[in-house]
Amino acid sequence: MVAFQEMYLKADKQYISEAEQKEDAVLMCCGTCAVGAYIEYGEKSSHVTVGNLGDSRAIAGKFRGNQMFVEGLSEDHSVATSPAERTRLRAEFPDLPAII
């Protein structure tokens, strides 16, 4: 859903802008976290759309018989666990080595 992407990009850009205005490297090393889900339930089909920002994760529990199974619905955007996120941040902020 485009609405999730737009909302999270707006929040991320606003946070970065405020940290840059304050010239605060500590704020630049921190970030925002959010998880949202849109559940569309119908008689013929159901859909779950999940959006996340930061080192947060969405999971769902499902019953099969008498057992509960947990399924991850999103991936963290954490520099601690994601090489792709480290690469993205280094490319976006080449003049700020403390970003990682």
Side-chain angles (χ1 to χ4, degrees), residues 38-98:
Y38 174 76
I39 302 169
E40 184 177 339
Y41 184 76
E43 288 184 30
K44 295 185 179 184
S45 68
S46 300
H47 294 82
V48 177
T49 302
V50 175
N52 72 303
L53 172 72
D55 57 349
S56 53
R57 183 176 304 161
I59 62 170
K62 297 180 180 182
F63 278 105
R64 290 191 190 124
N66 291 336
Q67 281 193 297
M68 167 78 83
F69 294 88
V70 176
E71 179 180 349
L73 302 178
S74 65
E75 295 181 18
D76 296 358
H77 301 135
S78 170
V79 296
T81 59
S82 172
E85 186 65 6
R86 289 192 292 272
T87 300
R88 183 190 74 79
L89 287 171
R90 284 187 186 116
E92 192 170 334
F93 302 98
D95 298 330
L96 188 59

Side-chain angles (χ1 to χ4, degrees), residues 8-23:
Y8 291 129
L9 285 172
K10 183 177 179 180
D12 195 43
K13 287 179 182 178
Q14 183 177 349
Y15 184 91
I16 291 169
S17 174
E18 290 179 21
E20 286 175 341
Q21 287 175 4
K22 294 177 182 179
E23 296 181 357

